[in-house]
Amino acid sequence: EKGTYPHYMLKEIDEQPVVIRRIIEKYRNDDGGLTVDQDIINAVNDADRIYIIAAGTSYHAGLVGKQFIENWAKIPVEVHISSEFSYNMPLLSEKPLFIFISQSGETADSRAVLVQVKEFGHKCLTITNVPGSTLSRESDYTLLLHAGPEIAVASTKAYTAQLAVLSILAAVAAYGKGRSLEFDLTKELGIVANAMDVLCGQKEEMEAIASEYLSTTRNAFFIGRSVDYYVGLEGALKLKEISYIQAEGFAGGELKHGTIALIENGTPIIALATQEHVNLSIRGNVKEVVARGANPCIISMKGLEEEDDRFVIPSIQPQLAPLVAVVPLQIISYYAALHRGCDVDKPRNLAKSVTVE
Ligand code: F6R
């Protein structure tokens, strides 16, 4: 039930800190560390390559998950859109592991891939919010998101739960290979949850950003580099699906290869700057679009902030920044849709689970 909330989406955004803390509890072992079933650790560490298969928001989570797995467990990962994979399958490695990411566990495009790869005898792991869902039942292994029912069509808490579970899987796979992380993931996920709490208390600032940049615009662009690019893709999807503003996410360095032609006087550009190693270059990209008349809204992270930044998220472990940086984008999208009179929880033309191919 949505209780005192006007919309499920807002309620589900606010639930994110609790969901992260619940995931920490569910995946905690007796020694206070994080773990998953030994069968899953073995399956991940036996694989010479991981193929992540997903759609929409879950695909965006997969892009970030690839970074966790490659950086920490050092296993190569490919991320594929399920509807493309079925018809245009890449050459597979000798010992692949397939990871399906699906909030509902019912997405037909993803199931089609599952059926195909099972026929080849490949191992499959599903990361889902719904125990007993089709993808979960038909996979060899399941990891649950423990996010509670997600009712709003626009996915919010499932995305951050997917990132948290992927981070745990990647860390556990790394430990299984005798590698350690440079930080304590349990502790850093706790800090992520606290940062989400802070952001959920700053909705007025995000509503002001929605009014200032998005109340009448036809389009909006999100730019970022590295993981900020992936968060920008998710921010753009959130905005377009509920507010009907044409929104796109671009890699900062790719603008000059064509996209910059779209910039007009006043075009809103939401730029993410949470990653130190690309901070200078993304800020350079902002200058390029500002010189063409764009209206920039820079969202940065404490420690990297500059005077003109519109919003600064709390400081967190940089590799986990996507879990936190997405929250203002979700809230800004919510208010943009609300101000434009859209049906936030049930956007036109969309269904919560897409059970047709
Ligand atoms: C976006 C959204 C969709 C879903 C996609 C996959 O907010 O909800 O893009 O993420 O349809 O759905 P699942 O994760 O259930 O497979």
Side-chain angles (χ1 to χ4, degrees):
E1 255 319 297
K2 65 181 186 234
T4 55
Y5 279 94
H7 297 98
Y8 282 106
M9 182 180 177
L10 200 61
K11 172 174 178 270
E12 290 163 5
I13 287 171
D14 272 359
E15 283 170 354
Q16 292 178 108
V18 172
V19 171
I20 299 301
R21 294 186 188 109
R22 190 186 302 145
I23 289 170
I24 298 170
E25 285 314 309
K26 296 282 184 187
Y27 286 96
R28 207 194 272 278
N29 64 17
D30 296 340
D31 310 330
L34 296 163
T35 193
V36 300
D37 282 351
Q38 190 61 44
D39 286 356
I40 297 179
I41 302 175
N42 295 344
V44 172
N45 283 333
D46 283 348
D48 62 355
R49 185 172 286 260
I50 291 174
Y51 294 81
I52 293 181
I53 308 291
T57 289
S58 298
Y59 169 73
H60 295 154
L63 295 172
V64 179
K66 168 187 162 84
Q67 303 298 316
F68 296 151
I69 298 169
E70 291 197 338
N71 290 345
W72 305 344
K74 308 290 179 197
I75 304 167
V77 181
E78 292 181 20
V79 192
H80 292 272
I81 293 171
S82 45
S83 59
E84 280 297 306
F85 191 93
S86 311
Y87 301 100
N88 192 10
M89 201 179 288
L91 276 178
L92 299 181
S93 66
E94 291 202 346
K95 285 175 21 187
L97 170 71
F98 282 81
I99 300 182
F100 295 86
I101 307 177
S102 176
Q103 188 284 130
S104 63
E106 301 297 340
T107 297
D109 289 321
S110 300
R111 176 161 188 262
V113 177
L114 178 78
V115 169
Q116 271 178 301
V117 301
K118 288 238 73 159
E119 249 167 52
F120 299 144
H122 298 318
K123 290 274 181 254
C124 298
L125 160 66
T126 286
I127 299 178
T128 183
N129 201 25
V130 183
S133 56
T134 306
L135 284 165
S136 169
R137 279 186 282 112
E138 296 181 357
S139 290
D140 301 283
Y141 319 103
T142 296
L143 288 173
L144 291 175
L145 298 176
H146 300 291
E150 192 180 63
I151 311 284
V153 165
S155 182
T156 54
K157 63 177 178 173
Y159 171 81
T160 43
Q162 285 162 349
L163 296 191
V165 170
L166 284 161
S167 75
I168 292 169
L169 178 65
V172 169
Y175 306 149
K177 283 191 178 306
R179 298 177 179 280
S180 56
L181 269 54
E182 299 152 8
F183 55 88
D184 176 348
L185 183 60
T186 312
K187 178 169 153 247
E188 296 299 334
L189 284 173
I191 295 172
V192 161
N194 295 345
M196 287 171 159
D197 271 329
V198 170
L199 294 173
C200 290
Q202 292 177 303
K203 294 199 188 76
E204 278 173 21
E205 285 181 56
M206 298 166 204
E207 178 163 22
I209 292 175
S211 310
E212 186 182 329
Y213 291 86
L214 302 170
S215 53
T216 58
T217 191
R218 244 180 350 110
N219 52 16
F221 302 121
F222 291 72
I223 62 171
R225 285 173 174 253
S226 182
V227 286
D228 286 339
Y229 164 44
Y230 304 145
V231 177
L233 293 175
E234 173 56 12
L237 177 59
K238 257 347 39 123
L239 185 63
K240 67 185 129 185
E241 70 175 324
I242 60 171
S243 76
Y244 318 141
I245 295 169
Q246 192 195 355
E248 301 299 337
F250 298 114
E254 189 65 7
L255 293 176
K256 57 185 172 297
H257 300 289
T259 307
I260 205 160
L262 292 169
I263 306 298
E264 296 173 89
N265 240 346
T267 304
I269 300 277
I270 298 168
L272 292 165
T274 73
Q275 301 294 308
E276 192 171 8
H277 66 296
V278 291
N279 193 35
L280 279 180
S281 40
I282 191 64
R283 288 175 185 281
N285 297 138
V286 171
K287 291 198 182 86
E288 289 158 10
V289 292
V290 167
R292 275 97 180 163
N295 186 15
C297 172
I298 301 178
I299 300 181
S300 62
M301 185 161 81
K302 187 98 195 116
L304 297 177
E305 77 273 28
E306 292 185 13
E307 204 183 320
D308 291 335
D309 293 356
R310 192 64 171 75
F311 192 82
V312 181
I313 64 168
S315 172
I316 39 159
Q317 213 296 324
Q319 298 191 69
L320 301 176
L323 285 100
V324 176
V326 76
V327 176
L329 305 186
Q330 296 167 341
I331 300 174
I332 291 167
S333 296
Y334 171 81
Y335 284 109
L338 197 68
H339 294 166
R340 293 167 76 112
C342 303
D343 187 347
V344 173
D345 281 342
K346 284 199 170 54
R348 69 187 181 205
N349 310 341
L350 287 169
K352 182 65 186 163
S353 58
V354 184
T355 51
V356 289
E357 275 182 60

